[in-house]
Amino acid sequence: MVRTVIRGVGGYVPERVVTNKDLEKLMDTSDEWIRERTGIQERRWVTTQQNHELGLEASRVALSRAGIGPQDVDLILYATLSMEYTFPGSGVLLQDKLGCRTIGALDIRNQCSGFLYGLAVADGMIRSGLYRNVLLVGSEVHSTRIDLSTLGRDVAVLFGDGAGAVVLGPGEDDSKGLLSVHLHCEGKHHDLLWIEGHGSLFPHAEQVRVIQERRHLPQMDGRQVFVHAVRRMPEVLQEALQANGLSIQDIDLLLPHQANLRINQKVAATLGIPESKVVNNIQKYGNTTAATIPLCLWNALDEGRVHDGSLLAMVAFGSGFTWASALYRW
Ligand code: UT7
């Protein structure tokens, strides 16, 4: 059986570091509140870079680690919720800047679960024999679309900018690679974490009113998101383990979405996974949404935490609600 394998991983975060103390100057918040409630100490925000330019940097690293060039890429999958324009998507901008052939570029709109949704799409295409080298990117520029006044503080302090990328392709044998991806959604909760006022429900004549009512900004019921996240993430991980005849003890490294350090601590405690096996980067990057899991993988590789044969468990939860898990044998 052909399995999808990761041939190269890349990550990129903007140089500009924004600390909690910096945010204290912009809104009524405190370093203590942010650290205690979320675990975040600092995040990276762009100065002038666009979303696809972050994706470009991460992709260059991933391609070079995979030992291939832009001309070898057969398909781009681009997961983001913060694309430059409503249309076209960021994937076509990356195709141009990276210098790929006129290959397909598909944008994935599944927010915090976007990378794992993209992984499922890539897996189907690779295992069916349709494509050999698939470039999957998760990239976000949140900082240009958050309210930096006290009114927006519940959302503003959480998010950071960054990008991660992987090159995927068919493996040599079935002992290594992607074991499974499990995807879910529950759309009745779509309005608990969303940007309401950009879509076709709002005729252009109403845009001024939408902006006055602040409905063009991200809105979140943080408590509800928290409650659902700590239930769904363990559930979908158990589903993946069961489908593969594996148990919690088999997991070598857990790479969870980074929305809140407390969410990840609760998920690990619920499952009985020691913190030494959990990769967290929210402390330095905040929540980078679709970029989070590939950035965690990139960090874990650089820190020497991934070994031949390691079982990696990836899990995400976010807007939609959507949630997903993937198991990968390195
Ligand atoms: O990728 C998915 C994206 N999002 C998430 O997963 C978010 C999940 N939820 C969370 O992480 C947490 O719910 C938050 C960190 C967002 C909030 O923590 P909380 O412990 O649930 O706080 P809360 O919303 O109940 O607010 C407590 C207080 C409120 O003040 P009052 O009403 O008690 O006077 C808020 O107004 O904290 C206030 N508050 C803040 N204070 C200082 C909210 N945001 C801030 C802030 N700084 N940034």
Side-chain angles (χ1 to χ4, degrees):
M1 183 172 112
V2 177
R3 283 200 194 282
T4 297
V5 294
I6 297 173
R7 297 199 197 287
V9 181
Y12 177 79
V13 288
E15 280 175 20
R16 181 179 158 213
V17 177
V18 178
T19 64
N20 296 341
K21 287 271 177 210
D22 293 330
L23 296 182
E24 285 179 5
K25 294 173 202 144
L26 300 171
M27 62 189 81
D28 181 11
T29 191
S30 68
D31 178 44
E32 190 190 5
W33 190 97
I34 301 170
R35 277 179 199 252
E36 273 180 13
R37 306 269 177 150
T38 72
I40 299 168
Q41 295 165 20
E42 58 187 42
R43 71 286 292 141
R44 302 298 184 96
W45 283 359
V46 295
T47 39
T48 57
Q49 283 168 303
Q50 299 177 27
N51 184 322
H52 74 280
E53 292 171 332
L54 307 190
L56 176 67
E57 298 292 342
S59 297
R60 283 183 174 148
V61 177
L63 289 179
S64 117
R65 294 200 179 169
I68 64 168
Q71 293 284 314
D72 302 314
V73 176
D74 299 316
L75 177 73
I76 293 170
L77 298 174
Y78 203 104
T80 189
L81 65 72
S82 52
M83 53 280 169
E84 288 82 344
Y85 317 113
T86 301
F87 70 85
S90 305
V92 301
L93 305 179
L94 179 66
Q95 176 272 336
D96 178 40
K97 286 279 175 66
L98 191 56
C100 298
R101 291 172 285 123
T102 54
I103 52 170
L106 172 66
D107 276 39
I108 308 261
R109 294 192 49 203
N110 292 83
Q111 301 73 243
C112 305
S113 312
F115 181 79
L116 296 183
Y117 269 73
L119 200 55
V121 174
D123 189 39
M125 289 180 162
I126 289 166
R127 290 204 289 142
S128 71
L130 201 55
Y131 295 113
R132 278 194 76 76
N133 294 317
V134 176
L135 175 62
L136 170 59
V137 181
S139 180
E140 303 289 358
V141 173
H142 290 302
S143 58
T144 55
R145 286 204 305 183
I146 46 183
D147 178 1
L148 295 177
S149 76
T150 297
L151 279 177
R153 66 181 179 177
D154 60 329
V155 170
V157 302
L158 302 178
F159 291 96
D161 304 337
V166 294
V167 175
L168 301 159
E172 305 287 309
D173 65 74
D174 67 358
S175 66
K176 300 265 173 73
L178 188 62
L179 305 185
S180 66
V181 188
H182 287 84
L183 307 178
H184 292 279
C185 80
E186 193 173 25
K188 71 178 177 189
H189 299 304
H190 66 275
D191 57 353
L192 294 181
L193 177 52
W194 67 339
I195 292 182
E196 180 191 10
H198 272 306
S200 58
L201 263 186
F202 296 92
H204 68 88
E206 289 186 32
Q207 285 302 325
V208 171
R209 182 173 59 80
V210 166
I211 291 170
Q212 282 165 351
E213 291 171 357
R214 305 177 71 255
R215 290 154 78 190
H216 64 302
L217 296 166
Q219 307 288 335
M220 176 180 75
D221 182 335
R223 290 245 162 137
Q224 281 301 316
V225 178
F226 197 105
V227 166
H228 286 263
V230 297
R231 175 178 152 218
R232 295 302 193 182
M233 288 164 81
E235 190 180 275
V236 73
L237 264 176
Q238 291 285 16
E239 181 184 4
L241 290 167
Q242 209 170 356
N244 291 283
L246 294 164
S247 67
I248 291 290
Q249 289 69 32
D250 294 317
I251 295 175
D252 293 303
L253 219 47
L254 177 67
L255 299 108
H257 176 56
Q258 307 282 309
N260 186 320
L261 193 59
R262 290 188 298 139
I263 292 180
N264 293 348
Q265 286 165 342
K266 187 111 201 284
V267 169
T270 303
L271 292 168
I273 299 177
E275 289 206 14
S276 58
K277 287 188 174 183
V278 185
V279 180
N280 284 309
N281 63 18
I282 190 168
Q283 300 92 330
K284 51 184 183 172
Y285 298 155
N287 180 349
T288 56
T289 311
T292 293
I293 289 182
L295 274 173
C296 278
L297 182 55
W298 180 59
N299 290 153
L301 283 164
D302 278 359
E303 290 161 11
R305 297 176 74 183
V306 184
H307 308 286
D308 198 28
S310 290
L311 182 68
L312 311 184
M314 309 176 210
V315 64
F317 179 91
S319 164
F321 290 145
T322 61
W323 63 100
S325 66
L327 290 179
Y328 188 95
R329 179 74 66 191
W330 196 260

